[in-house]
Amino acid sequence: MVELTTINSMTLKVEAQTVRDAIDEQKDGIFANLKELVSFNSPRGEAGNREAAAWVKEAFEKFGVDMTAHETSDGTLALVGTRAGEEGAPEVLLYSHYDVVPAGDPEKWDSDPFTLTERDGRWYGRGAADCKGNVAAHLAVLQAVEKLGGTRCNLRIVIEGSEEVGGEGLDSLIDAHPELFKADIICIVDAGNSKVGVPTLTSSLRGGGQMDITIKTMASPAHSGEFGGPAPDATFALIRTLNSLRDEDGFVTIDGLDNTVTWEGLQYSAEDFAKDASVLEGVDIIAGDKGTVSDQLWSRVAVSVTGFSSTPVEDAVNAVPNIARARVNFRVPEKMDAQEVAEKLEAHVRAHVPFNAQCEIEMSEVSQPFSAKLDGPAITLLEESLSAAYNGTEVVKVGMGGSIPLTTKLQELYPDSEIALYGVEEPAANIHSPNESVDPEEIYAIATAEALLLLSL
């Protein structure tokens, strides 16, 4: 690996406008590539997952990348490619993923989720931003770099197919073949700007996990006329248990955990958050004297009930439920241990179950948070590249509420590598929801910045 501290005088060697012109020449091609990628319904387990992998492999091979498809432990393909540069030049790894979350009910979309559709200056479709828009940006970068004389860098390309379900397949591949992921600079392109047009580097990611809770109170449902009142209602017991995880103002509280840490960096205004999260008019967000939006997103444990099941309303009969289940997603900020949080969360839930009801808990997907080191020479050059790509706008550094377990794994494996997180997924993209979209200007600018980095190293 290159000793990057010896080349800390790096600076941009190509004019940003020259690179932007090379990207702008591809606008029709970028749309066409993304349209093809979006057409694949590619959650893990769907036929489109393998179809998208085949398309990605062929697309990168057109630029001289030697792509190998690795069958992973979770039944997806991880595509790992290399393209040799000059001997002694830095190794740069570019990462994205081709899998998506399910599109859900098509009636909630304003256009077909698998047909890239332009409306009001944005491109709509499942995966348009997360993360197929980033894959399209990588392809545009390779074409621009080739047009402008090439890069000295030794490239590694990693495009996986199971990130949205935890990336366990890629993790197992890293364990088996860590040499495939060795690089001086690791660009995790599965993030985005704090706002459209504001170049952003992600300074931290939350870890977290899933907790499935099952409450049982009786061998079978009990007639509400005969037994309602004294009969221990499992649904009520679960609701009361979940309610114990928030105080009277809605702030998350877990027994034995200090969840009052404040965020000292750039603040996310309550107004912007409400707009970005599509909060309905008149509905309050959870913020105030006990904590700002930024505190809760980037410095505190968050708990969300992402699934709940008892008797469906349409199947309701006059009976007291005997069983109820919930899935709780929890997020853990940097400087906290995710396993310790999981243990305290489980202990809290067990302590707050009423009626001495039976409680079963299953933990899964527990991952540690990530803290980026943003003062290295390569990331400094990337910061300069991002600013130039956005016409001199100052780069901001903020936390990101999501989790990418790959980052912590690679940081542990290669502690001397510089790891950068950026991408096209700004808040208006509405990722994981109906009407996901990408601003094409974000693709063009991010591709310009990444090409500047490769041309200047």
Side-chain angles (χ1 to χ4, degrees):
M1 298 177 73
V2 174
E3 181 61 49
L4 290 176
T5 55
T6 66
I7 51 174
N8 58 13
S9 61
M10 295 184 298
T11 189
L12 298 183
K13 295 180 173 63
V14 180
E15 289 290 336
Q17 189 58 53
T18 301
V19 179
R20 179 57 191 250
D21 289 344
I23 297 296
D24 284 348
E25 290 173 5
Q26 303 179 54
K27 285 184 175 180
D28 290 344
I30 292 170
F31 182 88
N33 280 341
L34 188 53
K35 183 175 182 179
E36 287 197 57
L37 259 178
V38 166
S39 72
F40 301 113
N41 180 18
S42 57
R44 187 186 68 175
E46 296 286 348
N49 189 274
R50 288 296 176 112
E51 293 167 354
W55 188 94
V56 169
K57 183 175 185 292
E58 182 178 348
F60 279 93
E61 287 175 339
K62 291 177 182 177
F63 294 102
V65 181
D66 182 12
M67 296 289 284
T68 301
H70 297 266
E71 189 82 36
T72 69
S73 61
D74 60 10
T76 63
L77 295 176
L79 306 173
V80 182
T82 58
R83 193 176 79 176
E86 295 182 12
E87 185 177 353
E91 293 179 295
V92 180
L93 187 154
L94 304 178
Y95 165 90
S96 289
H97 61 88
Y98 61 82
D99 65 311
V100 296
V101 298
D105 183 357
E107 295 299 318
K108 295 182 179 180
W109 288 75
D110 294 335
S111 54
D112 176 30
F114 304 112
T115 301
L116 192 66
T117 304
E118 185 171 4
R119 291 197 304 275
D120 301 322
R122 296 186 70 93
W123 298 347
Y124 289 80
R126 173 55 84 226
D130 183 19
C131 189
K132 293 175 178 180
N134 290 308
V135 176
H138 285 324
L139 292 169
V141 166
L142 293 183
Q143 184 169 330
V145 167
E146 189 173 273
K147 175 182 173 64
L148 297 174
T151 176
R152 296 179 60 242
C153 299
N154 296 282
L155 293 181
R156 292 186 182 274
I157 307 293
V158 177
I159 314 290
E160 67 160 312
S162 63
E163 192 277 340
E164 296 293 5
V165 289
E168 292 180 7
L170 191 67
D171 282 355
S172 64
L173 182 61
I174 295 173
D175 290 337
H177 297 285
E179 72 281 358
L180 296 176
F181 303 86
K182 181 175 73 68
D184 302 296
I185 306 143
I186 298 173
C187 298
I188 306 293
V189 190
D190 186 15
N193 292 339
S194 58
K195 292 182 181 180
V196 170
V198 179
T200 304
L201 285 171
T202 298
S203 60
S204 64
L205 294 169
R206 293 193 285 193
Q210 310 280 5
M211 178 175 65
D212 287 352
I213 307 169
T214 301
I215 298 293
K216 298 178 181 178
T217 56
M218 298 177 290
S220 62
H223 189 280
S224 60
E226 277 191 85
F227 302 105
D233 182 327
T235 300
F236 184 86
L238 180 55
I239 291 171
R240 176 167 285 185
T241 302
L242 295 172
N243 188 55
S244 73
L245 290 166
R246 290 182 181 267
D247 68 13
E248 67 280 1
D249 296 314
F251 288 83
V252 171
T253 176
I254 299 170
D255 294 345
L257 180 74
D258 179 8
N259 209 30
T260 62
V261 181
T262 58
W263 174 258
E264 301 299 333
L266 183 72
Q267 294 293 310
Y268 194 166
S269 75
E271 294 76 19
D272 285 344
F273 176 84
K275 179 181 177 181
D276 294 339
S278 301
V279 177
L280 296 177
E281 185 175 354
V283 177
D284 294 333
I285 65 170
I286 300 168
D289 293 341
K290 292 182 179 178
T292 66
V293 168
S294 301
D295 294 338
Q296 296 179 83
L297 282 176
W298 304 322
S299 290
R300 299 182 184 179
V301 173
V303 173
S304 302
V305 180
T306 56
F308 189 98
S309 62
S310 181
T311 307
V313 171
E314 58 271 20
D315 298 332
V317 294
N318 293 328
V320 179
N322 66 310
I323 185 169
R325 296 186 176 93
R327 171 163 292 179
V328 171
N329 175 270
F330 59 98
R331 302 285 177 157
V332 179
E334 62 175 333
K335 301 177 183 176
M336 283 193 183
D337 182 87
Q339 190 59 50
E340 181 181 349
V341 170
E343 291 169 0
K344 288 184 177 180
L345 181 59
E346 178 174 348
H348 175 105
V349 168
R350 292 190 184 281
H352 287 267
V353 175
F355 319 140
N356 287 317
Q358 294 180 10
C359 176
E360 299 172 2
I361 293 178
E362 182 178 344
M363 288 284 182
S364 62
E365 300 178 26
V366 177
S367 62
Q368 295 295 345
F370 169 79
S371 294
K373 302 171 185 176
L374 299 179
D375 56 356
I379 291 183
T380 299
L381 181 62
L382 174 60
E383 184 175 346
E384 185 180 348
S385 300
L386 283 164
S387 179
Y390 283 88
N391 300 314
T393 303
E394 183 178 357
V395 174
V396 300
K397 301 169 184 177
V398 299
M400 190 170 85
S403 303
I404 306 176
L406 171 69
T407 53
T408 53
K409 195 169 189 70
L410 291 179
Q411 191 175 63
E412 291 169 1
L413 189 62
Y414 297 116
D416 294 330
S417 298
E418 295 188 45
I419 301 178
L421 290 93
Y422 57 94
V424 305
E425 304 165 27
E426 41 74 38
N430 208 33
I431 65 173
H432 292 197
S433 298
N435 296 312
E436 177 182 353
S437 68
V438 67
D439 186 327
E441 289 297 324
E442 294 291 273
I443 296 180
Y444 308 148
I446 289 298
T448 298
E450 190 169 283
L452 277 168
L453 175 70
L454 295 183
L455 289 165
S456 299
L457 278 168

PDB file of all heavy atoms in Angstrom, residues 9 29 36 41 60 80 96 131 140 172 204 234 306 363 390 415:
ATOM      1  N   SER A   9       1.087  16.752  -0.530  1.00  0.00           N
ATOM      2  CA  SER A   9       1.046  17.989  -1.297  1.00  0.00           C
ATOM      3  C   SER A   9       0.161  17.833  -2.531  1.00  0.00           C
ATOM      4  O   SER A   9       0.175  18.659  -3.422  1.00  0.00           O
ATOM      5  CB  SER A   9       2.462  18.395  -1.725  1.00  0.00           C
ATOM      6  OG  SER A   9       3.028  17.379  -2.556  1.00  0.00           O
ATOM      7  N   GLY A  29     -26.379   9.312 -21.983  1.00  0.00           N
ATOM      8  CA  GLY A  29     -25.899   7.977 -21.637  1.00  0.00           C
ATOM      9  C   GLY A  29     -26.101   7.646 -20.169  1.00  0.00           C
ATOM     10  O   GLY A  29     -26.415   6.500 -19.816  1.00  0.00           O
ATOM     11  N   GLU A  36     -31.806   1.514 -17.479  1.00  0.00           N
ATOM     12  CA  GLU A  36     -31.664   0.059 -17.559  1.00  0.00           C
ATOM     13  C   GLU A  36     -31.518  -0.552 -16.174  1.00  0.00           C
ATOM     14  O   GLU A  36     -32.134  -1.576 -15.860  1.00  0.00           O
ATOM     15  CB  GLU A  36     -30.470  -0.298 -18.438  1.00  0.00           C
ATOM     16  CG  GLU A  36     -30.695  -0.069 -19.917  1.00  0.00           C
ATOM     17  CD  GLU A  36     -29.670  -0.795 -20.774  1.00  0.00           C
ATOM     18  OE1 GLU A  36     -29.543  -2.022 -20.650  1.00  0.00           O
ATOM     19  OE2 GLU A  36     -28.974  -0.112 -21.558  1.00  0.00           O
ATOM     20  N   ASN A  41     -35.980  -5.259 -11.006  1.00  0.00           N
ATOM     21  CA  ASN A  41     -36.538  -5.343  -9.653  1.00  0.00           C
ATOM     22  C   ASN A  41     -35.584  -6.207  -8.837  1.00  0.00           C
ATOM     23  O   ASN A  41     -35.680  -7.426  -8.834  1.00  0.00           O
ATOM     24  CB  ASN A  41     -37.935  -5.962  -9.705  1.00  0.00           C
ATOM     25  CG  ASN A  41     -38.571  -6.082  -8.336  1.00  0.00           C
ATOM     26  OD1 ASN A  41     -38.142  -5.432  -7.382  1.00  0.00           O
ATOM     27  ND2 ASN A  41     -39.595  -6.911  -8.227  1.00  0.00           N
ATOM     28  N   PHE A  60     -19.112  -2.559 -16.490  1.00  0.00           N
ATOM     29  CA  PHE A  60     -17.764  -2.181 -16.049  1.00  0.00           C
ATOM     30  C   PHE A  60     -16.687  -2.838 -16.911  1.00  0.00           C
ATOM     31  O   PHE A  60     -15.607  -2.266 -17.102  1.00  0.00           O
ATOM     32  CB  PHE A  60     -17.576  -2.533 -14.570  1.00  0.00           C
ATOM     33  CG  PHE A  60     -18.163  -1.516 -13.637  1.00  0.00           C
ATOM     34  CD1 PHE A  60     -19.459  -1.660 -13.154  1.00  0.00           C
ATOM     35  CD2 PHE A  60     -17.447  -0.394 -13.258  1.00  0.00           C
ATOM     36  CE1 PHE A  60     -20.027  -0.723 -12.312  1.00  0.00           C
ATOM     37  CE2 PHE A  60     -17.994   0.560 -12.408  1.00  0.00           C
ATOM     38  CZ  PHE A  60     -19.295   0.394 -11.940  1.00  0.00           C
ATOM     39  N   VAL A  80     -16.528  -7.978  -7.922  1.00  0.00           N
ATOM     40  CA  VAL A  80     -15.256  -7.370  -7.525  1.00  0.00           C
ATOM     41  C   VAL A  80     -14.378  -7.291  -8.764  1.00  0.00           C
ATOM     42  O   VAL A  80     -14.112  -8.310  -9.415  1.00  0.00           O
ATOM     43  CB  VAL A  80     -14.553  -8.181  -6.419  1.00  0.00           C
ATOM     44  CG1 VAL A  80     -13.256  -7.493  -6.008  1.00  0.00           C
ATOM     45  CG2 VAL A  80     -15.472  -8.346  -5.212  1.00  0.00           C
ATOM     46  N   SER A  96     -20.349   0.521  -4.471  1.00  0.00           N
ATOM     47  CA  SER A  96     -21.783   0.818  -4.480  1.00  0.00           C
ATOM     48  C   SER A  96     -22.522  -0.520  -4.412  1.00  0.00           C
ATOM     49  O   SER A  96     -21.892  -1.576  -4.313  1.00  0.00           O
ATOM     50  CB  SER A  96     -22.201   1.592  -5.740  1.00  0.00           C
ATOM     51  OG  SER A  96     -21.715   2.919  -5.722  1.00  0.00           O
ATOM     52  N   CYS A 131     -29.152   2.400  -4.747  1.00  0.00           N
ATOM     53  CA  CYS A 131     -27.852   3.052  -4.885  1.00  0.00           C
ATOM     54  C   CYS A 131     -27.437   3.040  -6.356  1.00  0.00           C
ATOM     55  O   CYS A 131     -26.299   3.231  -6.712  1.00  0.00           O
ATOM     56  CB  CYS A 131     -26.854   2.289  -4.016  1.00  0.00           C
ATOM     57  SG  CYS A 131     -25.238   3.011  -3.796  1.00  0.00           S
ATOM     58  N   ALA A 140     -19.954   6.768 -15.359  1.00  0.00           N
ATOM     59  CA  ALA A 140     -19.661   8.047 -16.000  1.00  0.00           C
ATOM     60  C   ALA A 140     -18.239   8.505 -15.691  1.00  0.00           C
ATOM     61  O   ALA A 140     -17.546   9.071 -16.543  1.00  0.00           O
ATOM     62  CB  ALA A 140     -20.671   9.098 -15.542  1.00  0.00           C
ATOM     63  N   SER A 172     -19.025 -12.055   4.525  1.00  0.00           N
ATOM     64  CA  SER A 172     -18.410 -13.385   4.477  1.00  0.00           C
ATOM     65  C   SER A 172     -17.334 -13.447   3.414  1.00  0.00           C
ATOM     66  O   SER A 172     -16.313 -14.132   3.591  1.00  0.00           O
ATOM     67  CB  SER A 172     -19.481 -14.454   4.223  1.00  0.00           C
ATOM     68  OG  SER A 172     -20.087 -14.283   2.953  1.00  0.00           O
ATOM     69  N   SER A 204     -19.820  10.311  10.222  1.00  0.00           N
ATOM     70  CA  SER A 204     -20.125   9.164  11.079  1.00  0.00           C
ATOM     71  C   SER A 204     -21.371   8.457  10.566  1.00  0.00           C
ATOM     72  O   SER A 204     -22.209   9.061   9.886  1.00  0.00           O
ATOM     73  CB  SER A 204     -20.333   9.602  12.535  1.00  0.00           C
ATOM     74  OG  SER A 204     -21.469  10.444  12.648  1.00  0.00           O
ATOM     75  N   ALA A 234     -52.595  -9.416  25.401  1.00  0.00           N
ATOM     76  CA  ALA A 234     -51.211  -9.429  24.921  1.00  0.00           C
ATOM     77  C   ALA A 234     -50.885  -8.183  24.106  1.00  0.00           C
ATOM     78  O   ALA A 234     -49.775  -7.645  24.191  1.00  0.00           O
ATOM     79  CB  ALA A 234     -50.958 -10.689  24.087  1.00  0.00           C
ATOM     80  N   THR A 306     -40.838  -0.788  13.685  1.00  0.00           N
ATOM     81  CA  THR A 306     -40.956  -0.912  12.228  1.00  0.00           C
ATOM     82  C   THR A 306     -41.947  -1.983  11.799  1.00  0.00           C
ATOM     83  O   THR A 306     -42.269  -2.097  10.618  1.00  0.00           O
ATOM     84  CB  THR A 306     -39.582  -1.209  11.602  1.00  0.00           C
ATOM     85  OG1 THR A 306     -39.041  -2.393  12.203  1.00  0.00           O
ATOM     86  CG2 THR A 306     -38.626  -0.053  11.840  1.00  0.00           C
ATOM     87  N   MET A 363     -32.549 -10.954  18.887  1.00  0.00           N
ATOM     88  CA  MET A 363     -31.730  -9.888  18.341  1.00  0.00           C
ATOM     89  C   MET A 363     -31.077 -10.350  17.036  1.00  0.00           C
ATOM     90  O   MET A 363     -30.684 -11.512  16.907  1.00  0.00           O
ATOM     91  CB  MET A 363     -30.625  -9.491  19.323  1.00  0.00           C
ATOM     92  CG  MET A 363     -31.099  -8.727  20.536  1.00  0.00           C
ATOM     93  SD  MET A 363     -31.466  -7.002  20.101  1.00  0.00           S
ATOM     94  CE  MET A 363     -31.920  -6.396  21.749  1.00  0.00           C
ATOM     95  N   TYR A 390     -18.690  21.524  -7.242  1.00  0.00           N
ATOM     96  CA  TYR A 390     -19.859  22.314  -6.881  1.00  0.00           C
ATOM     97  C   TYR A 390     -19.545  23.814  -6.937  1.00  0.00           C
ATOM     98  O   TYR A 390     -20.040  24.594  -6.133  1.00  0.00           O
ATOM     99  CB  TYR A 390     -20.359  21.903  -5.500  1.00  0.00           C
ATOM    100  CG  TYR A 390     -21.142  20.605  -5.506  1.00  0.00           C
ATOM    101  CD1 TYR A 390     -20.495  19.384  -5.366  1.00  0.00           C
ATOM    102  CD2 TYR A 390     -22.518  20.595  -5.677  1.00  0.00           C
ATOM    103  CE1 TYR A 390     -21.199  18.180  -5.383  1.00  0.00           C
ATOM    104  CE2 TYR A 390     -23.241  19.409  -5.693  1.00  0.00           C
ATOM    105  CZ  TYR A 390     -22.578  18.200  -5.550  1.00  0.00           C
ATOM    106  OH  TYR A 390     -23.283  17.022  -5.578  1.00  0.00           O
ATOM    107  N   PRO A 415      -6.746  -0.427   8.908  1.00  0.00           N
ATOM    108  CA  PRO A 415      -6.838   0.808   9.691  1.00  0.00           C
ATOM    109  C   PRO A 415      -6.076   1.983   9.096  1.00  0.00           C
ATOM    110  O   PRO A 415      -6.356   3.139   9.442  1.00  0.00           O
ATOM    111  CB  PRO A 415      -6.265   0.405  11.057  1.00  0.00           C
ATOM    112  CG  PRO A 415      -5.424  -0.800  10.781  1.00  0.00           C
ATOM    113  CD  PRO A 415      -6.090  -1.518   9.660  1.00  0.00           C
TER     114      PRO A 415
END
